[in-house]
């Protein structure tokens, strides 16, 4: 994921938590908000200390960024997106993580062709 497509500032995260919408499954929580300056999307990933040590948290962040990067062409544009990793996601393989992420994105209506988030 390119650096310009990442959310890093606390106020960006807070704005999305306050004003955005959310959907969740047992592995991920996704908050999103429409933004004009986000082209195609800006992504922030949050992994708390509850899921493991720094190695585990950073690995989960990298995997989530990679999954979203591969799905950029399928996602509706101009979104600020925050993904929170939950503890059950830690033990999953890459394919299972991708399936779970696609499930929550589809439920949220963030993929092209899904109805809710458009």
């Amino acid at each position: 994921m390119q650096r310009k497509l990442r959310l890093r500032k606390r106020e960006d995260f807070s704005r999305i938590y306050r004003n955005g919408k959310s959907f969740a499954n047992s592995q991920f929580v996704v908050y999103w908000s429409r933004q004009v300056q986000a082209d195609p999307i800006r992504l922030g990933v949050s992994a708390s200390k509850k899921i493991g040590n720094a190695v585990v948290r950073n690995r989960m962040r990298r995997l989530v960024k990679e999954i979203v990067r591969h799905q950029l062409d399928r996602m509706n544009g101009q979104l600020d997106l925050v993904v929170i990793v939950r503890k059950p996601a830690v033990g999953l393989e890459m394919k299972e993580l991708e399936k779970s992420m696609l499930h929550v994105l589809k439920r949220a209506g963030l993929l092209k062709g899904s109805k809710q988030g458009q």
Side-chain angles (χ1 to χ4, degrees):
M1 189 124 239
Q2 298 170 358
R3 185 172 291 268
K4 68 179 182 175
L5 300 179
R6 292 191 208 147
L7 290 175
R8 304 200 77 150
K9 296 181 180 173
R10 182 181 191 94
E11 55 265 18
D12 288 334
F13 279 78
S14 297
R15 177 182 45 79
I16 295 168
Y17 291 144
R18 275 193 322 271
N19 303 325
K21 297 178 184 176
S22 68
F23 271 89
N25 62 13
S26 60
Q27 289 84 21
F28 300 107
V29 179
V30 174
Y31 286 87
W32 82 94
S33 175
R34 296 267 178 222
Q35 287 299 318
V36 177
Q37 68 262 25
D39 187 36
I41 68 164
R42 294 189 303 177
L43 174 70
V45 182
S46 176
S48 80
K49 288 186 177 182
K50 293 178 187 177
I51 70 167
N53 62 18
V55 174
V56 172
R57 294 193 310 270
N58 289 329
R59 180 175 183 274
M60 293 308 297
R61 284 189 199 105
R62 286 193 309 270
L63 291 175
V64 168
K65 287 177 194 173
E66 185 68 7
I67 291 168
V68 172
R69 186 180 70 84
H70 281 286
Q71 301 303 323
L72 279 178
D73 58 335
R74 294 182 59 195
M75 295 179 71
N76 295 322
Q78 296 188 325
L79 292 172
D80 278 352
L81 191 68
V82 174
V83 177
I84 300 173
V85 181
R86 289 182 167 173
K87 192 166 182 79
V90 173
L92 298 180
E93 298 285 327
M94 180 66 170
K95 285 288 185 191
E96 294 168 321
L97 284 173
E98 189 169 10
K99 183 177 177 184
S100 178
M101 178 63 76
L102 287 175
H103 171 259
V104 77
L105 291 174
K106 188 178 285 188
R107 273 192 67 204
L110 300 177
L111 297 177
K112 290 179 182 171
S114 55
K115 299 286 181 208
Q116 200 155 9
Q118 294 182 351

